[in-house]
Amino acid sequence: MMNSEMYVGLDIGTTSIKVIVAENVKGQMNVLGLGNERSDGIDRGIIVDIDKASESIRRAVDQAEEKSGIKINDVIVGIPANQLKIEPCSGMVAISDQSREISDTDVKNVTVSAMIKNLPPEREIVDTLPDEFIVDGFDGIKDPRGMVGVRLEMKGRIITGPKTIIHNIRKSVAQAGLNPSAIINSPLAQGMTILDDGEQDFGTVLIDLGGGQTTASVIHDHQLKFTTVDSEGGEYITKDISVVLNTSTESAEKVKRDYGFADAIEASEGNEFPIEVVGQSQPIKLSEKYLAEIIQARVDQIFNRISKTLASISALDLPGGIVLTGGVAALPGISELAADRFNSNVRVYIPNQMGLRHPSFSLPLSLVTYRANMSEIQVLVRSSLEGKIVNEDYNSNVEDDSFIQNDASDDEHESENNHNQPANNNKKKKGMVSRLRNGAKNKWHGFYKEFFE
């Protein structure tokens, strides 16, 4: 069903699957339908059971189809930042006829040239992002089509990810009867749509407080520079409430949503509410203050770990401050707590579309908005990637569909994103790639500093 005006975003989250059907009318995204179902087969943002995940996706899509009245075939899928890497790339091709204008085919050829990389067998190219084209030595060109020259070059970045993660996403979507027309890196889509022009330009930290994990991304100079993933999110807060209060997970989630505060200072000792406790026939009374202390303890842990990582690359000094989004960002007092812990100005992003006014819907809305705002040259470069890399049968039988999850909190990886349907490096670039592949926080400082200088 996907055409130049209609887009469907699919957010495969740890706690829920969200589907948004939207129509782009003169630059304005109008949401036509929404599906929201509980997730199965997903752990910390990664699909670990393809059969269960595909069933959850199908239920969410059915719901979106019913509400929008539109049959969904193609979807734009978000991919988490786990273990994604950014690497510089460059390519060059000769133009056969000096009098001929540079065409779409030439752009595709130079893109394929730039994607020639010696990748490890377990990794795959997710996306190619053009930074500039060079025609006969004239650089800074955004779209070379229609120009004349004898040599066309492209400089940009490629995003690579683990084949297993990418395969499991495609396989689950295909098994749900859908076509993953584009797999887009979630932090990039959010950063390019949630943040305003000034925040993208001068530099801002975007923190997505999800159910299964927390992702912090640095956007500067209109580019995604850095991403780190903490393996704890809203689910851990719910588990803490359940364990401390000796109540069921369902009851813990309900009181968190109805009475929870992220900052205990904001909560009242006098306001009490009932909660079911295992082993007791009658509910007990609990104060908002006590519940907030449980919640704040976990949020503090998450913020402290992220703060240390961001401080190591001087990201907390960026003038744009911090923007919070994701389901946990709906907790009252979250911005005040974050401002205190990060010592920075903080705001919470909430979509303003009717029916989506909750931060948990920021990702699926960002996916469709990002795709709709892609330039012609970005779409053209993306089509080159699809023809070269993504031509694979994901409905075929595979011996092992399982995914062995690494601890996301132990992996600090660069990340960026992938777009939608319709070379050799010099020594300096090899040095950058080498630094990206070596662990330790010091690498991030050097890598980040290089982008800013």
Side-chain angles (χ1 to χ4, degrees), residues 350-364:
I350 301 175
N352 58 12
Q353 282 81 356
M354 185 68 69
L356 301 179
R357 291 172 183 168
H358 192 279
S360 63
F361 292 108
S362 67
L363 177 53

Side-chain angles (χ1 to χ4, degrees), residues 40 128 130 217 223 236 260 281 365 378 402 423 428:
D40 287 314
T128 303
S217 310
Q223 294 181 357
Y236 285 79
S281 58
L365 184 61
Q378 288 176 315
S402 63
K428 179 179 179 181

